[in-house]
């Protein structure tokens, strides 16, 4: 029997119960599930493809892969990605969890993930018996550890921190990983949601300035869950690494990891339409501009949060005390300890609530002071 750690979000149950007692109801800013409607152009694409009586292709339709390749040119400054090196996935989380298996990691091998990170990276290592090390630089590893590194995850913009790696930092990590013969996988699911200095563009792992024009052993992982409100569609993809992609495709064929054809069509239409992404970003921008100063007025310091849909906050207390303080206001957030030991003392506050619920949270946070 496979035994995995308890699902962390289940531990919020008593705080959810406390928050539910608030007379104005709960404001759930925890998991970060989208609340705005899926754009009609995407819904229509799904409906139009609903007569899907045959098996879909694991590799995705040529039209879908071409649309994604064009998106990389248009939005990710990546001009040397070929459509055959793109693969749709059933959401990005399953790819994160199963990639170590597909790459052949085994006991004794090391997977490196960011110091503060989404817990699914560690689950992927656990599934194959590999060792997971939390580090933002491979220089933090010993020589013996470096000799065993097979997979390095980057996460920029970061979840939960919203931290962005610049081109120089990303290139340095890629060069170091390549010197070890390791694969680098860039989890880049919030790249269209940069703020401030990163408003126009967030660097990506496949860009020529990072890759040196060589995509060998470099994978970009992307999801439309947040930018297009498609979390319920499980519409994502992985791209790059022409030396690895044929084996990835073959493994997923054997294991039945196939995106349904109607979802492939919805993804194709969504990735080709930038207008709805810009409109959704403006909604998140307004919520961020309202919520961030309210959290600061309540006593939180917001760290990083340069991109993405989260505010990474500390009040100088342990994570659970801050979760309790917020729950007393009817607000649910994510404990920083869910993201590794380095997350202790922080909470993650999501922007994925309706305008009305964000306004209610702002009112509660500011009235308290």
């Amino acid at each position: 029997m496979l035994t995995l750690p308890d699902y962390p979000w289940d531990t919020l149950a008593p705080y959810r119960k406390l928050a539910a007692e608030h007379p104005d109801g709960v404001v759930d800013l925890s998991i970060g599930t989208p609340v705005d409607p899926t754009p009609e152009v995407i819904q229509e694409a799904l409906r139009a493809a609903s007569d899907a009586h045959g098996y879909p292709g694991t590799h995705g339709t040529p039209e879908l892969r071409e649309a994604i390749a064009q998106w990389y040119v248009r939005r990710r400054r990546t001009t040397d990605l070929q459509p055959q090196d793109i693969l749709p996935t059933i959401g990005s989380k399953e790819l994160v969890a199963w990639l170590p298996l597909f790459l052949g990691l085994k006991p004794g091998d090391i997977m490196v993930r960011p110091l503060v990170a989404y817990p699914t990276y560690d689950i992927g290592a656990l599934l194959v018996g590999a060792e997971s090390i939390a580090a933002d630089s491979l220089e933090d590893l010993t020589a013996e550890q470096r000799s065993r590194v097979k997979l390095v995850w980057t996460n920029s913009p970061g979840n939960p921190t919203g931290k962005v790696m610049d081109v120089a930092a990303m290139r340095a990590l890629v060069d170091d990983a390549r010197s070890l013969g390791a694969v680098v996988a860039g989890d880049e699911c919030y790249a269209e949601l940069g703020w401030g200095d990163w408003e126009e563009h967030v660097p990506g792992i496949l860009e020529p300035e990072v890759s040196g024009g060589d995509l060998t052993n470099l994978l970009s992982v992307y999801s439309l869950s947040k930018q297009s409100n498609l979390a319920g569609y499980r519409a994502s993809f992985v791209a790059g690494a022409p030396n690895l992609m044929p084996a990835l495709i073959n493994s997923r064929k054997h294991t039945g990891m196939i995106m349904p054809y109607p979802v492939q069509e919805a993804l194709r239409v969504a990735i080709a339409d930038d207008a709805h992404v810009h409109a959704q970003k403006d909604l998140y921008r307004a919520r961020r501009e309202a919520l961030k100063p309210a959290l600061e007025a309540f006593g939180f310091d917001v760290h990083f949060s340069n991109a993405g849909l989260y505010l990474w906050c500390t009040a100088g207390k342990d994570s659970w005390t801050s979760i309790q303080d917020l729950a007393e206001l009817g607000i649910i957030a994510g404990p920083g300890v869910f993201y590794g030991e380095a997350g202790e003392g922080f909470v993650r506050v999501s922007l994925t609530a309706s305008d009305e619920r964000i306004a209610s949270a702002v009112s509660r946070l500011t009235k308290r002071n």
Side-chain angles (χ1 to χ4, degrees), residues 64-236:
L64 169 60
R65 289 183 278 115
E66 179 61 33
I68 294 172
Q70 289 303 313
W71 175 80
Y72 271 99
V73 173
R74 189 174 71 251
R75 302 296 301 164
R76 306 298 293 133
R77 301 182 183 177
T78 299
T79 57
D80 47 1
L81 175 65
Q82 300 303 310
Q84 66 262 28
D85 298 325
I86 296 170
L87 172 67
T89 63
I90 312 164
S92 60
K93 185 173 184 176
E94 57 94 346
L95 191 280
V96 171
W98 292 114
L99 186 60
L101 174 67
F102 291 147
L103 293 180
L105 270 70
K106 59 188 183 302
D109 292 337
I110 286 177
M111 181 209 73
V112 179
R113 52 85 165 171
L115 194 61
V116 181
Y118 179 57
T120 307
Y121 305 122
D122 289 339
I123 296 298
L126 185 62
L127 286 170
V128 297
E131 181 180 352
S132 177
I133 293 181
D136 288 335
S137 171
L138 295 176
E139 294 178 359
D140 296 336
L141 277 61
T142 67
E144 189 277 333
Q145 289 172 328
R146 286 170 60 87
S147 70
R148 296 189 285 123
V149 173
K150 303 300 181 184
L151 171 61
V152 180
W153 279 102
T154 64
N155 181 208
S156 179
N159 174 16
T161 64
K163 187 176 181 180
V164 175
M165 294 179 71
D166 63 24
V167 167
M170 200 173 283
R171 178 63 185 262
L173 187 145
V174 165
D175 288 347
D176 200 0
R178 280 179 160 166
S179 75
L180 306 177
V183 174
V184 182
D187 184 348
E188 302 178 340
C189 295
Y190 299 91
E192 291 271 26
L193 296 166
W195 312 113
D197 292 343
W198 304 107
E199 181 78 38
E200 296 301 321
H201 181 70
V202 171
I205 205 79
L206 301 185
E207 291 180 23
E209 288 186 330
V210 174
S211 70
D214 178 8
L215 303 187
T216 301
N217 276 356
L218 299 183
L219 291 168
S220 168
V221 180
Y222 205 79
S223 167
L224 272 67
S225 290
K226 303 303 196 301
Q227 71 183 47
S228 301
N229 299 319
L230 287 184
Y233 285 48
R234 314 311 297 137
S236 304

Side-chain angles (χ1 to χ4, degrees), residues 49 57 59-72 74 82-84 86-88 237 259 261 263-273:
H59 196 187
T61 65
E63 294 80 9
L64 169 60
R65 289 183 278 115
E66 179 61 33
I68 294 172
Q70 289 303 313
W71 175 80
Y72 271 99
R74 189 174 71 251
Q82 300 303 310
Q84 66 262 28
I86 296 170
L87 172 67
F237 49 87
M259 179 181 287
Y261 173 71
V263 179
Q264 292 189 33
E265 277 296 284
L267 174 55
R268 179 186 65 80
V269 169
I271 203 69
D273 180 65

Side-chain angles (χ1 to χ4, degrees), residues 310-327:
Y310 308 108
L311 296 170
W312 184 237
C313 312
T314 181
K317 306 174 182 180
D318 70 85
S319 293
W320 290 109
T321 298
S322 291
I323 292 296
Q324 173 80 20
D325 291 344
L326 291 169

